[in-house]
Structures are given as C-alpha cells and as structure tokens.
Amino acid sequence: MLPTLSKAGERLDAALSNHFNAITVPGCRFFFSPRHGLGPQRSRSKHLIIAFSSLGNGIVRHEFGGSIEKLNNDVNGGCFDVLFVADPTQSWYQKDDRGGLNGFAQYSHRIKVASKSYKHISLIGDSMGGSGALLFAHLATNAVVAFSPQVDLIGDDHVSRDDLTPLVRQMFQSRLFESAEEAIGKGVKLFIHRGLERSDTHQTDLLMGRLGPLGFESIKVIVHSSCDHHQIAVHMKQKGQLLSALMDCLKADHSTILR
C-alpha cells in the first residue's frame, strides 16, 4: 500500500506542482479570455469554449489559444469566449488546488460558475485534456472534441502519479462514463480524434464499447491513418486539419457564419 500524504504534504505537493508549471498566480488553473484574440471587449459572446490542458512536454500550459484565436478571426458575428483550464498536478483533474483528491468536485464547481450565463458551451482537449473534456462533458450544451483521450488510466504509460491508486483511477473512469452518458442524453455531440497508436485504439474502443449503444449519431470517432503516434492534435495542426476539427464545437450555434 502506498503511503498517504498528510494535509501539509498535500498542500506542498500542490504548491510545487503550481511552481514547476509556472501556474503560480491564484486562479491560473482557470483563465478566462472573452472573445479570445480580438482585443478588449465590452460584451461577452453567447458561446463559451472550455479548453483543457494536456501534460504537454512535461510542463502544463493553457492550450489551443493560437488556434482558437484564428477561429475567432475567421468567424463573422459569432465570436466566442474561452475558459482555459489547467491541471498542474498532472492528475487527470483528480487533485484539487490544496493537493487533495477533491479535484472533480472543485473543477466542476468552478466551471459551472464560469459558464452559467452561456447558451452554448463546448469542451475541447488533447490527451489528458481530452480526458478532462470527457470527464466534464455533462457541463457542455453543444459539443465535446477530444484528441487521443485516456479513458482507462490503469496501466496507461502517460499516467505517472503513484498516488493515483487503482481505486482513484477506477472512480475516474466511472465518472467519465457517467458524464459522457449525461451529455449524450442532453443531445451533446462527442467527437473523438485518434491516430493508429495501439494504446489510443484501446482507449477509443473502450469508450465506444460503453457509449456506442447510446447512438452512433451522438459520438463519432475519427481515425487519422496518417498518424502513427499519440500526438494527434499536433499532427492535425501540421496537416492543416485542426481548425476544421475545432469548428465542430460551433456547429450547434446556427448564428455562427464563416466568412
């Protein structure tokens, strides 16, 4: 059995994670950008995109900012706000800001507060961020776009925290499935992008085995045969395919018209 951290140890773990990942300002796990990339705005959009961060190259950063800015500059009359969400503890959004395992409840509460005034809410993320997008899919109203998400954390090479015990990882999977099922029940569309890497195939097969019976019109897996590694979002960006995938977030907002 792994030793458990004291409360002081949990707080130290959280502080070190924040410092190492340069997320040291209170609230930077969450960063709100109204009408992202268009400069100071007096009014907010009716559409919020929530972008969850991945592990990156070992340093957690807010992601998709450049691509979302380009989308906002290409949209006529339907620009959207962005809430960037990060997990500096690299715990698949299981750890809270004090180092405890109340992350799911804490992130859910913060996202609910930030998104309550929006008519359209879409979630996106890559790898750990894709898992986050599915984990909190119940908070979406439009779509979830996940790139190479992890559904099964037990034995996955990307998960390195020893304190994410088998029980914690199983609870994560159960919550993710419940959240995705609730989202589909509300009419939210799920788009999953992956390449040919074996572990990513396993993850999407597991997801479809649970969610597929709910209706293949509600969840779509897009396989990119030209990508043989895990970094599908990077691959798609290099191929010029990422922006069209992100546009799936906007499909349900019929007031949005591309130039």
Side-chain angles (χ1 to χ4, degrees), residues 87-137:
D87 175 12
T89 64
Q90 304 180 3
S91 68
W92 272 253
Y93 299 89
Q94 300 306 290
K95 304 277 278 187
D96 58 46
D97 60 7
R98 295 179 66 83
L101 286 167
N102 194 39
F104 178 76
Q106 186 179 77
Y107 279 102
S108 292
H109 174 71
R110 292 287 299 273
I111 293 170
K112 283 180 181 178
V113 171
S115 63
K116 64 181 180 180
S117 64
Y118 289 89
K119 180 179 180 180
H120 303 287
I121 304 169
S122 300
L123 279 56
I124 66 174
D126 172 45
S127 192
M128 181 181 75
S131 299
L134 291 172
L135 184 64
F136 300 102

Side-chain angles (χ1 to χ4, degrees), residues 17-127:
S17 296
N18 287 343
H19 177 75
F20 180 75
N21 291 282
I23 303 179
T24 55
V25 179
C28 275
R29 287 186 178 219
F30 303 87
F31 178 75
F32 176 70
S33 181
R35 298 182 183 264
H36 179 71
L38 299 181
Q41 301 290 324
R42 292 184 179 180
S43 62
R44 293 188 178 184
S45 170
K46 295 180 180 179
H47 195 145
L48 178 69
I49 289 186
I50 304 173
F52 292 86
S53 293
S54 71
L55 295 179
N57 292 319
I59 303 293
V60 175
R61 294 286 186 270
H62 297 301
E63 295 180 345
F64 294 101
S67 296
I68 296 174
E69 178 177 345
K70 181 169 177 54
L71 280 182
N72 256 353
N73 280 284
D74 288 343
V75 171
N76 181 25
C79 300
F80 45 89
D81 300 341
V82 183
L83 177 66
F84 295 98
V85 182
D87 175 12
T89 64
Q90 304 180 3
S91 68
W92 272 253
Y93 299 89
Q94 300 306 290
K95 304 277 278 187
D96 58 46
D97 60 7
R98 295 179 66 83
L101 286 167
N102 194 39
F104 178 76
Q106 186 179 77
Y107 279 102
S108 292
H109 174 71
R110 292 287 299 273
I111 293 170
K112 283 180 181 178
V113 171
S115 63
K116 64 181 180 180
S117 64
Y118 289 89
K119 180 179 180 180
H120 303 287
I121 304 169
S122 300
L123 279 56
I124 66 174
D126 172 45
S127 192

Side-chain angles (χ1 to χ4, degrees), residues 52-257:
F52 292 86
S53 293
S54 71
L55 295 179
N57 292 319
I59 303 293
V60 175
R61 294 286 186 270
H62 297 301
E63 295 180 345
F64 294 101
S67 296
I68 296 174
E69 178 177 345
K70 181 169 177 54
L71 280 182
N72 256 353
N73 280 284
D74 288 343
V75 171
N76 181 25
C79 300
F80 45 89
D81 300 341
V82 183
L83 177 66
F84 295 98
V85 182
D87 175 12
T89 64
Q90 304 180 3
S91 68
W92 272 253
Y93 299 89
Q94 300 306 290
K95 304 277 278 187
D96 58 46
D97 60 7
R98 295 179 66 83
L101 286 167
N102 194 39
F104 178 76
Q106 186 179 77
Y107 279 102
S108 292
H109 174 71
R110 292 287 299 273
I111 293 170
K112 283 180 181 178
V113 171
S115 63
K116 64 181 180 180
S117 64
Y118 289 89
K119 180 179 180 180
H120 303 287
I121 304 169
S122 300
L123 279 56
I124 66 174
D126 172 45
S127 192
M128 181 181 75
S131 299
L134 291 172
L135 184 64
F136 300 102
H138 62 292
L139 302 177
T141 62
N142 278 24
V144 174
V145 184
F147 302 90
S148 299
Q150 291 86 29
V151 175
D152 178 13
L153 301 186
I154 297 177
D156 191 277
D157 293 339
H158 300 96
V159 186
S160 60
R161 292 198 66 115
D162 290 335
D163 56 350
L164 293 185
T165 63
L167 178 60
V168 172
R169 298 182 191 210
Q170 185 57 52
M171 288 178 61
F172 161 86
Q173 184 181 109
S174 297
R175 284 170 172 165
L176 186 150
F177 283 148
E178 290 171 3
S179 180
E181 288 170 348
E182 181 178 339
I184 290 173
K186 296 190 301 182
V188 174
K189 305 298 184 183
L190 275 57
F191 301 89
I192 315 298
H193 294 263
R194 69 162 174 85
L196 299 181
E197 185 173 272
R198 181 177 299 178
S199 62
D200 292 332
T201 301
H202 163 71
Q203 299 288 357
T204 53
D205 286 350
L206 184 63
L207 186 68
M208 290 302 292
R210 174 66 179 260
L211 302 181
L214 297 179
F216 287 97
E217 294 182 356
S218 299
I219 178 170
K220 182 178 181 180
V221 175
I222 303 95
V223 179
H224 300 262
S225 59
S226 59
C227 180
D228 60 359
H229 54 79
H230 178 67
Q231 304 296 334
I232 184 62
V234 173
H235 175 83
M236 292 174 65
K237 187 173 184 178
Q238 292 171 344
K239 294 286 187 180
Q241 301 169 344
L242 183 59
L243 291 183
S244 62
L246 294 179
M247 276 305 303
D248 285 329
C249 289
L250 303 179
K251 282 184 176 179
D253 183 355
H254 302 296
S255 66
T256 299
I257 303 173

